[in-house]
Amino acid sequence: MTSVIMLFIELLLDIVGLLTGGSIWKRSSERGIQRAWGMLATTLSLLLLCDNIEWMWLFSRGVEDIPRFVEVPMDHLSIWHIVRVIFFFQLFSLFPIASLQPGWMSLTRIVNYCIPILLIVCIACCYQLFNGHYTLLKSFADIWRNLGEQDVIVRLILFVISVLTPSLNFLLPYLKRWIPVRRKQSRGMYIYMGCFGLIMSGYIWLMLGTSGLCFNLFGYFVILPTICLNVLYLRNDNPLSLPPLPADDLSPKEIDAIKEIEVSAVVLELSEKLQVLMKERTPFTNPQYSLQDILTDVGTNEHRFNKALRYNGFSGFRDYINFNRLQYFKEQATLRKDLTVKELMFMSGFTSRSSFYRYFASIEKISPSEYIDRLQKEGETLPNREG
């Protein structure tokens, strides 16, 4: 039995997911990972919303009052369900590597990683349309009873591939020998993986579930993690990873790995010009410093500028500027111990206290106040150590 009340609540959640996803898409000023997630979340929420509106219409058709519970016929290993979710799973699974190595996930690579999914969709659609025989599986036991049927075998194989292919993509960030990763995983990465596991569990339960409850809860398994991740992307442009370490903090092994990254001489020269600009002129201390300003300062276009940023491990202009502001804050906190956190914050170019505290804590794992206190304690104990 399917609860219409739960379906209605899910419909409201779909609207929340649609609004938050659309907000991410609209506010993303750069063509980066934040905009990609906004587009994915908006599309997914819209599809779920249309699906639930259709179900509500079907349940209300021919009756005066919508019933509280409705019997929904189960169809396990449904080709339609496999085709409908597989593209979302594949794109969903590519965000971790796209976050850790900005620019590595190009359009060509996305197409290459979607080829297995395209094959699944083609095989599924052709089999559904031209086979002429489709075994209806109303229960989990029906799968085993009809395992000898050719269409059931094909559907089971497609289902296994639809689970394994996106799941294996989560191993990409750990293939550091072939994929150079400049950034570090953040706490958001583990939340993201947990959300993916929850969505995949709901999908497996829907395909193999033993009761109508799986149909009722599948939408919740999808939309609630999506809203959770929408909140992360509203708070941070790239919430799944942390900015790369400053050049002075890199180990010799990490420096050698960076040198092995293939990059044009133009991008390499631009990268060096950016480092000199940030270090000598500190233009980021101006809160109004914009993308157009930095393009004018280094004499380049946005395309080459983004390539230089990605070579250095940054996902976009704001990510790069905030990183430099944070490093400047730490530097001035060491030199100007008479200044307060608020004064140092404004001196570094930050304007929002809440955003600054959140960003600082996500990188340093402590609050700015705690960081200042630690510097002061270290300064007090230093003479005793020398004595």
Side-chain angles (χ1 to χ4, degrees):
M1 297 293 287
T2 298
S3 172
V4 177
I5 296 177
M6 291 184 65
L7 196 63
F8 181 74
I9 296 174
E10 183 191 334
L11 191 146
L12 296 178
L13 291 173
D14 294 338
I15 295 175
V16 174
L18 180 63
L19 294 176
T20 53
S23 177
I24 295 170
W25 189 353
K26 183 178 179 180
R27 66 177 289 181
S28 56
S29 58
E30 303 165 12
R31 294 181 179 179
I33 191 170
Q34 188 185 38
R35 174 170 292 186
W37 175 259
M39 295 170 63
L40 183 63
T42 302
T43 304
L44 175 64
S45 300
L46 184 61
L47 290 174
L48 290 173
L49 179 62
C50 293
D51 196 32
N52 286 325
I53 290 176
E54 180 184 6
W55 279 112
M56 293 291 288
W57 176 76
L58 290 173
F59 293 158
S60 62
R61 190 173 58 177
V63 296
E64 294 183 1
D65 297 319
I66 299 178
R68 293 184 62 186
F69 295 95
V70 178
E71 187 71 36
V72 176
M74 300 299 296
D75 184 14
H76 296 290
L77 296 179
S78 167
I79 288 182
W80 165 240
H81 282 310
I82 294 174
V83 170
R84 190 170 58 169
V85 303
I86 188 60
F87 273 110
F88 165 72
F89 283 156
Q90 187 71 351
L91 294 175
F92 193 101
S93 65
L94 295 178
F95 274 80
I97 185 61
S99 172
L100 290 168
Q101 184 54 42
W104 186 85
M105 190 54 65
S106 61
L107 180 61
T108 303
R109 287 195 174 102
I110 292 175
V111 172
N112 289 337
Y113 279 106
C114 285
I115 287 177
I117 307 306
L118 291 172
L119 290 175
I120 291 176
V121 172
C122 289
I123 293 172
C125 292
C126 290
Y127 200 89
Q128 180 83 18
L129 294 173
F130 304 115
N131 179 53
H133 175 70
Y134 185 85
T135 305
L136 186 62
L137 305 173
K138 296 183 178 181
S139 66
F140 182 73
D142 285 348
I143 298 176
W144 300 107
R145 280 197 294 265
N146 295 280
L147 203 54
E149 297 289 339
Q150 186 177 8
D151 71 306
V152 176
I153 296 174
V154 172
R155 289 153 63 185
L156 191 59
I157 292 174
L158 293 177
F159 166 68
V160 172
I161 295 175
S162 71
V163 172
L164 289 181
T165 303
S167 299
L168 291 175
N169 287 338
F170 276 94
L171 297 177
L172 291 175
Y174 302 99
L175 302 178
K176 296 182 180 180
R177 183 177 177 181
W178 296 279
I179 304 176
V181 173
R182 291 292 310 275
R183 301 169 70 94
K184 304 294 183 182
Q185 294 185 11
S186 68
R187 187 180 303 173
M189 179 70 77
Y190 301 106
I191 296 175
Y192 190 88
M193 290 184 174
C195 289
F196 176 79
L198 186 62
I199 294 173
M200 183 60 75
S201 299
Y203 169 66
I204 295 173
W205 190 25
L206 178 67
M207 292 290 100
L208 307 176
T210 56
S211 68
L213 184 63
C214 59
F215 174 85
N216 229 159
L217 294 182
F218 174 67
Y220 288 90
F221 274 86
V222 176
I223 193 60
L224 287 176
T226 302
I227 293 175
C228 175
L229 295 174
N230 283 350
V231 173
L232 290 183
Y233 276 98
L234 283 170
R235 292 163 62 93
N236 194 327
D237 293 353
N238 191 353
L240 307 188
S241 60
L242 302 174
L245 292 173
D248 297 338
D249 297 340
L250 294 175
S251 65
K253 186 177 180 180
E254 290 172 324
I255 295 175
D256 293 338
I258 294 172
K259 291 179 180 179
E260 293 178 2
I261 300 176
E262 295 184 4
V263 65
S264 67
V266 175
V267 172
L268 193 60
E269 181 184 357
L270 180 58
S271 176
E272 293 174 354
K273 287 177 66 176
L274 284 170
Q275 292 180 16
V276 172
L277 174 67
M278 294 297 114
K279 189 172 184 178
E280 294 183 357
R281 293 176 50 188
T282 61
F284 49 82
T285 55
N286 177 9
Q288 305 302 322
Y289 195 64
S290 65
L291 173 62
Q292 193 57 49
D293 292 332
I294 198 171
L295 294 179
T296 302
D297 289 341
V298 295
T300 188
N301 56 45
E302 187 174 352
H303 178 68
R304 288 179 178 174
F305 173 71
N306 286 330
K307 278 191 172 183
L309 289 190
R310 290 164 184 166
Y311 168 70
N312 287 286
F314 296 98
S315 57
F317 170 73
R318 274 191 295 185
D319 187 33
Y320 181 62
I321 291 299
N322 285 336
F323 170 80
N324 281 282
R325 285 171 175 165
L326 178 62
Q327 300 307 313
Y328 187 77
F329 174 91
K330 292 164 60 178
E331 177 185 329
Q332 294 302 310
T334 304
L335 299 174
R336 304 285 302 275
K337 295 183 178 180
D338 57 312
L339 298 180
T340 64
V341 172
K342 186 176 181 179
E343 291 171 330
L344 290 169
M345 180 192 78
F346 286 120
M347 180 188 294
S348 304
F350 291 103
T351 56
S352 171
R353 184 180 182 278
S354 59
S355 298
F356 167 68
Y357 268 72
R358 184 169 60 245
Y359 180 73
F360 190 98
S362 67
I363 305 298
E364 301 296 330
K365 309 305 179 186
I366 57 175
S367 70
S369 301
E370 292 172 332
Y371 181 82
I372 298 295
D373 291 341
R374 190 172 66 180
L375 286 179
Q376 291 177 347
K377 290 179 181 179
E378 290 175 355
E380 292 173 357
T381 57
L382 187 59
N384 295 330
R385 291 176 185 172
E386 292 178 348

